[in-house]
Amino acid sequence: MDSALVIGAGIGGLAAASRLARAGYAVTVFEKSGRPGGRTNIVETDGFRFDTGPTLFLMQEVFQQTYADLGEQMEDHLDLIRMDPTYQVHFHDGSKLLLTADLLHMREQLNIFEPGSFEAYARFLSEGHRHYYASLDRFVGRNFRSIFEYLSLANIPMIVHLKALNKHYANVSSYFKDPRLRAAFTFQNMYLGVSPYDALATYSLLQYTELAEGVWFPRGGMYRVIESLASVAEKLGVQFRYHTPVAKIQVEGHRATGVVLEDDTFVPGHVVVANADLPYVYRSMLPDNGMAKRLNQLKYTSSALMFYWGVRGSVDPLLPHNVFLSDHRYRESFTSIFRDLTLPEPPSIYIHVPSKIDPTCAPPDHHCLMVLVPVGHINEQQPQDWDQLRKRAREAVLDTLAKLGLGDISDRIVSEATLGPPDYQAMNLEKGSAFGLSHNFLQVGYLRPKNRHDHYGNLYFAGASTHPGTGLPMVLLSARLTVERILQEQPQPR
């Protein structure tokens, strides 16, 4: 039986491996750590359980299609809880906006911020609906084989229709005048690690997916998605080799012949799929052809300072999802992150309290607080003092919670773990960037790094830094598009 070797058991590697196994390949996945998931993983400490990756389950239909393509039903694997309201947004002046699918409640709130803005909100959601479905059908949900196909006479109107040449903040500003509303409907770009001042206006689809399609939470946490996909892969015959780092991809002529493990064992394969971070693969696993240097010069997404706190007692009035925006210095905060590669002053903060949805993730009378503070990625020219930045971020979070009415919770933190850019870099994420390559116009679609190597015709890629981009739904699409190419371009597996 023809063999396929998959490097990395992130969600893209799991989905690609399962699709290849279902197509008839004998698939082996090599994972350097002791369990699947990659960035979508868990921290378990002192009786607390935290997701270390995404906390919002969005674009449900992409997950449903993945399970269906693997001969499964998503509902048999995941018990999804709809989150409505999705989250509460706190502004610097003390005002709050509760984002919800309840249109009457949204109308009441929006018209307090800006009289007449609900009508603009309805138009904004309608645009997001158009962007969402057009993108899935014709932009992120397909392969582009050439620049001529991407910029064809048939495709250019679609790019214009999706406002791919417009900036997201400027586009939102055409709907809302109040700077708080402009911030409330653009900060979601940070899910992709991109500034709203640089992001494509296409990303109005993010707000549409949240408020119309819904934000969900799998009972047991987001890692349940990884566990279920790993079990599906095993059911399809995929072999997993954990604690087995790949040192390099062996190549000969125009083909990859297999992989070399860290212990110098050579494993041959007919097809190789790399789910490790793409810049790392080119820099560390392949002969130097100049691509690693070119990738290093591209734009990267932001990083994050993460705090995982186990807290004794109540954390009211926090909701499951909470956003605190430095909206009075909104543009300056993104300049600090993306130009100066540092921590804004003051920073914006996201706090997730999964124990308010699923009490099993914390001991009785305790809560899990997952705190994300956006920060720039590693500055290779002038390295940052990450201990000092982490201390500043921690103090800012504690001060924010105190002002919210929780008082000083520092003496109630009974368990603490942290992650930051150096930790992400140690996970082989280039520059410690938490989300991979950025998503400006010159790094999306056909202009994004390809999901097949230009020289080695049987070496493919799946993950956040290849087409179509970052985020769990996009990486699932990446796996689907990559396997479609394999099945079209390689001999039928025997």
Side-chain angles (χ1 to χ4, degrees):
M1 184 181 288
D2 285 355
S3 59
L5 310 180
V6 178
I7 305 170
I11 193 169
L14 294 175
S18 296
R19 289 177 177 276
L20 288 167
R22 192 162 165 80
Y25 281 95
V27 184
T28 303
V29 177
F30 300 92
E31 169 56 44
K32 67 175 183 176
S33 72
R35 61 187 173 202
R39 278 172 275 189
T40 306
N41 225 295
I42 51 174
V43 168
E44 294 178 294
T45 177
D46 302 321
F48 297 91
R49 184 182 71 246
F50 302 90
D51 285 309
T52 62
T55 60
L56 304 175
F57 189 97
L58 299 168
M59 299 175 67
Q60 187 175 155
E61 65 188 86
V62 175
F63 291 86
Q64 288 174 324
Q65 187 61 56
T66 297
Y67 281 97
D69 290 348
L70 300 178
E72 303 284 334
Q73 288 190 316
M74 183 182 74
E75 294 76 12
D76 293 337
H77 294 267
L78 303 177
D79 180 10
L80 297 179
I81 305 165
R82 179 153 188 177
M83 303 306 304
D84 191 40
T86 55
Y87 34 66
Q88 185 144 262
V89 183
H90 299 256
F91 302 103
H92 78 284
D93 62 359
S95 58
K96 295 179 286 190
L97 178 63
L98 194 65
L99 290 176
T100 171
D102 184 335
L103 292 178
L104 290 178
H105 194 190
M106 284 299 292
R107 184 178 67 181
E108 292 169 1
Q109 295 183 90
L110 292 173
N111 286 337
I112 291 172
F113 281 90
E114 182 181 323
S117 60
F118 179 74
E119 288 75 13
Y121 172 73
R123 295 196 305 274
F124 177 64
L125 283 188
S126 178
E127 176 186 87
H129 172 270
R130 295 193 302 273
H131 287 178
Y132 178 65
Y133 286 101
S135 293
L136 280 182
D137 291 341
R138 302 176 58 191
F139 193 61
V140 300
R142 58 167 294 189
N143 283 307
F144 293 98
R145 301 304 180 87
S146 72
I147 190 67
F148 304 106
E149 184 179 35
Y150 183 57
L151 297 178
S152 66
L153 290 177
N155 223 39
I156 287 177
M158 184 268 295
I159 292 174
V160 173
H161 170 75
L162 290 175
K163 296 189 176 181
L165 300 175
N166 299 48
K167 302 301 184 188
H168 194 196
Y169 189 86
N171 185 58
V172 170
S173 297
S174 70
Y175 288 96
F176 307 104
K177 294 183 175 61
D178 191 297
R180 294 169 297 179
L181 296 184
R182 291 175 175 179
F185 294 118
T186 55
F187 78 83
Q188 293 86 349
N189 292 130
M190 290 301 288
Y191 300 165
L192 307 176
V194 181
S195 165
Y197 295 94
D198 294 326
L200 282 58
T202 311
Y203 295 133
S204 61
L205 64 85
L206 290 170
Q207 292 77 32
Y208 167 78
T209 59
E210 288 184 348
L211 293 162
E213 304 281 337
V215 171
W216 303 79
F217 183 83
R219 197 178 301 278
M222 291 293 289
Y223 194 68
R224 278 294 306 133
V225 179
I226 298 299
E227 291 174 327
S228 73
L229 286 175
S231 70
V232 170
E234 290 173 349
K235 180 179 174 181
L236 290 168
V238 175
Q239 299 295 311
F240 287 90
R241 295 181 62 177
Y242 294 110
H243 300 293
T244 308
V246 171
K248 68 177 182 178
I249 299 168
Q250 191 73 35
V251 295
E252 184 177 324
H254 290 276
R255 295 188 66 78
T257 58
V259 300
V260 178
L261 308 181
E262 271 198 351
D263 65 2
D264 287 333
T265 301
F266 172 67
V267 183
H270 296 87
V271 170
V272 177
V273 178
N275 178 228
D277 193 42
L278 186 74
Y280 172 79
V281 174
Y282 274 101
R283 176 169 51 84
S284 300
M285 292 187 174
L286 288 168
D288 184 12
N289 65 350
M291 185 63 172
K293 182 178 180 180
R294 291 195 294 275
L295 289 174
N296 186 261
Q297 294 170 345
L298 295 180
K299 286 190 175 183
Y300 281 75
T301 54
S302 61
S303 193
L305 293 168
M306 306 293 305
F307 301 92
Y308 304 96
W309 290 341
V311 178
R312 183 180 63 253
S314 172
V315 293
D316 292 338
L318 288 174
L319 299 183
H321 299 285
N322 312 266
V323 176
F324 300 84
L325 293 178
S326 58
D327 54 295
H328 62 307
R329 299 192 62 197
Y330 198 57
R331 181 183 284 273
E332 292 94 329
S333 70
F334 290 107
T335 299
S336 295
I337 293 169
F338 291 96
R339 187 193 70 188
D340 302 335
L341 301 179
T342 190
L343 179 70
E345 182 60 51
S348 293
I349 298 165
Y350 165 65
I351 300 178
H352 174 44
V353 191
S355 48
K356 288 213 165 189
I357 317 166
D358 183 2
T360 65
C361 69
D365 193 37
H366 289 73
H367 281 283
C368 298
L369 267 63
M370 188 221 80
V371 182
L372 185 156
V373 184
V375 70
H377 62 65
I378 289 172
N379 188 335
E380 296 171 326
Q381 311 305 316
Q382 297 178 301
Q384 302 96 321
D385 183 343
W386 290 111
D387 289 339
Q388 189 266 340
L389 291 177
R390 184 180 291 107
K391 180 180 177 182
R392 270 182 51 203
R394 190 179 192 275
E395 290 172 351
V397 175
L398 291 173
D399 182 59
T400 296
L401 292 175
K403 290 176 179 176
L404 188 64
L406 273 73
D408 182 3
I409 70 162
S410 57
D411 62 346
R412 294 200 286 127
I413 298 174
V414 299
S415 178
E416 180 167 7
T418 64
L419 282 175
D423 302 296
Y424 293 123
Q425 187 177 53
M427 298 176 195
N428 300 334
L429 302 178
E430 197 78 0
K431 303 177 189 284
S433 166
F435 309 93
L437 288 173
S438 191
H439 298 79
N440 60 353
F441 181 73
L442 296 178
Q443 291 179 199
V444 295
Y446 180 77
L447 304 177
R448 198 165 181 81
K450 312 300 179 295
N451 54 13
R452 195 197 73 184
H453 198 282
D454 286 339
H455 185 73
Y456 309 117
N458 64 332
L459 172 57
Y460 296 83
F461 309 102
S465 290
T466 187
H467 177 66
T470 195
L472 295 190
M474 293 300 102
V475 174
L476 288 176
L477 288 174
S478 168
R480 192 201 85 200
L481 295 174
T482 295
V483 173
E484 284 179 0
R485 285 198 72 170
I486 292 171
L487 299 181
Q488 291 166 0
E489 297 172 351
Q490 302 300 318
Q492 186 173 352
R494 296 168 295 176

